[in-house]
Amino acid sequence: SQQGEEDPQALSIQEGENATMNCSYKTSINNLQWYRQNSGRGLVHLILIRSNEREKHSGRLRVTLDTSKKSSSLLITASRAADTASYFCATDVQGAQKLVFGQGTRLTINP
Amino acid sequence: GAVVSQHPSWVICKSGTSVKIECRSLDFQATTMFWYRQFPKQSLMLMATSNEGSKATYEQGVEKDKFLINHASLTLSTLTVTSAHPEDSSFYICSARDLVKADTQYFGPGTRLTVL
């Protein structure tokens, strides 16, 4: 079952611009994670933010979490062509011991 | 970092045959392993959760008799697609939750199944 929505479904920007993706979910969570997937390949774990955290940074990535609104955002700053991929949020559902994925955002960085 | 392997990485089979996919945690023990399915241009859909030594828990709409899961040890889970049909063609991804670092889940590289 899908946990929630991601928007936009697709995003196309110029290299150097910032990219923001949003994720909403429905249940209580232990943490929320963001993954990247290049076409036809496996997942790459980007960042994990716990339910008691509000913001986290890792390199050019900035993740926010608002548990009152059940939403999260992923910001990629100074985008590069190599950032072109699909990005998924995944929620670690409280009490269920499982990771459920959002629908994903297809990001295209134009050189 | 921890590694999860899957074998085979791709498989082509005839309609009606069964296919087994292995998922191994290579340098950690995993009490819980998960199987996902991903259709082209779609997200990962959780199929089932398997705990070592017990029966798998299937998500709603997933046929347990068609997708047989065995989790015989802390490092190995298998998914068998029985009597495969073309609509079962998909990318199957397993993941394993670290026994020690309980909030950390590692993903395998996926297995692409094509049923002719």
Side-chain angles (χ1 to χ4, degrees), chain A:
Chain A
S1 60
Q2 292 297 110
Q3 168 68 294
E5 304 286 326
E6 282 187 62
D7 79 272
Q9 291 188 4
L11 178 62
S12 181
I13 61 174
Q14 293 300 119
E15 196 166 22
E17 293 180 340
N18 296 339
T20 300
M21 290 158 269
N22 302 295
C23 166
S24 63
Y25 57 93
K26 298 174 183 173
T27 64
S28 296
I29 63 172
N30 297 315
N31 61 67
L32 185 145
Q33 303 176 35
W34 284 89
Y35 290 83
R36 185 184 73 211
Q37 185 182 38
N38 289 83
S39 182
R41 307 290 294 273
L43 294 173
V44 174
H45 183 264
L46 296 176
I47 198 165
L48 179 154
I49 185 165
R50 300 184 197 286
S51 61
N52 61 353
E53 297 176 312
R54 292 297 166 257
E55 187 171 313
K56 205 162 183 179
H57 298 253
S58 176
R60 292 185 296 114
L61 306 181
R62 172 177 168 257
V63 168
T64 63
L65 178 64
D66 186 335
T67 52
S68 67
K69 294 181 180 178
K70 290 187 165 56
S71 67
S72 173
S73 68
L74 170 67
L75 168 66
I76 303 174
T77 60
S79 63
R80 305 167 182 169
D83 294 330
T84 294
S86 290
Y87 291 81
F88 297 96
C89 67
T91 49
D92 188 341
V93 180
Q94 203 171 75
Q97 283 281 299
K98 61 183 180 182
L99 207 57
V100 179
F101 283 77
Q103 296 175 343
T105 295
R106 287 196 306 280
L107 176 65
T108 303
I109 309 299
N110 302 303

Side-chain angles (χ1 to χ4, degrees), chain A residues 1-2 6 30-31 33 35 37 40-43 45 48 50 88 92 96-104 106, chain B residues 32 34 36 38 41-46 49 59-60 91 93 95 97 102-110 112:
Chain A
S1 60
Q2 292 297 110
E6 282 187 62
N30 297 315
N31 61 67
Q33 303 176 35
Y35 290 83
Q37 185 182 38
R41 307 290 294 273
L43 294 173
H45 183 264
L48 179 154
R50 300 184 197 286
F88 297 96
D92 188 341
Q97 283 281 299
K98 61 183 180 182
L99 207 57
V100 179
F101 283 77
Q103 296 175 343
R106 287 196 306 280
Chain B
T32 308
F34 306 85
Y36 294 82
Q38 185 180 33
K41 296 193 187 320
Q42 294 188 24
S43 184
L44 282 75
M45 296 290 293
L46 180 63
T49 303
E59 294 296 304
Q60 194 172 5
F91 195 47
I93 303 173
S95 71
R97 189 166 286 225
D103 63 357
T104 305
Q105 197 163 319
Y106 301 98
F107 284 81
R112 185 159 304 283

